[in-house]
Amino acid sequence: MDPSKPSSDRRQNERKPLRTTSYLRLPGSRPTAVRSVDISLGGMSIIATANPPSKTSCVLRVGLPAGAQGIKLVEVEAKVLHSVFSGREDGFKVGLSFVNLGAEARQAISSYLSSVR
């Protein structure tokens, strides 16, 4: 890749795969099950049955594998960056950016990321 040319990939944090059921709560709605795709300290990619509008604030609850401790449940505030329908995934691929990531959630995500090869 030529470092003098801007990258089309705006990600600033390394992403690792995370395949689990998470729960997304949009404003005025009950939490709905979504499939997670990957995660980083900056955000997460999910597959959802609904098409949330860009810039929508939401809350995401996700269980992160935590080794001998089992599963660490974290709840994070996020903002929708984009949402596009994927026939291959049979749903909307939604990019989320974490907002005001708390210390406990940051630690749990960091631990998960460092445990994945």
Side-chain angles (χ1 to χ4, degrees), residues 85-104:
F85 184 75
S86 170
R88 189 174 130 216
E89 298 289 350
D90 193 28
F92 292 91
K93 190 165 186 181
V94 181
L96 301 170
S97 175
F98 296 145
V99 177
N100 301 323
L101 191 61
E104 187 177 344

Side-chain angles (χ1 to χ4, degrees), residues 8-36:
S8 62
D9 189 351
R10 295 180 300 250
R11 294 181 186 146
Q12 296 178 0
N13 297 293
E14 181 181 13
R15 289 185 176 237
K16 299 280 180 101
L18 176 65
R19 307 287 195 265
T20 188
T21 299
S22 297
Y23 293 88
L24 180 70
R25 187 175 71 235
L26 297 168
S29 300
R30 293 178 174 259
T32 182
V34 296
R35 290 179 285 145
S36 63

Side-chain angles (χ1 to χ4, degrees), residues 5-87:
K5 294 184 180 178
S7 171
S8 62
D9 189 351
R10 295 180 300 250
R11 294 181 186 146
Q12 296 178 0
N13 297 293
E14 181 181 13
R15 289 185 176 237
K16 299 280 180 101
L18 176 65
R19 307 287 195 265
T20 188
T21 299
S22 297
Y23 293 88
L24 180 70
R25 187 175 71 235
L26 297 168
S29 300
R30 293 178 174 259
T32 182
V34 296
R35 290 179 285 145
S36 63
V37 176
D38 59 33
I39 191 168
S40 75
L41 281 172
M44 193 166 167
S45 180
I46 61 170
I47 305 298
T49 57
N51 184 13
S54 183
K55 300 183 183 175
T56 300
S57 294
C58 57
V59 175
L60 185 69
R61 192 172 6 142
V62 58
L64 296 167
Q69 298 170 338
I71 300 292
K72 173 70 175 173
L73 189 62
V74 295
E75 191 168 281
V76 296
E77 294 178 46
K79 184 167 280 199
V80 176
L81 296 176
H82 58 81
S83 178
V84 288
F85 184 75
S86 170

Side-chain angles (χ1 to χ4, degrees), residues 1-7:
M1 175 146 87
D2 183 348
S4 66
K5 294 184 180 178
S7 171

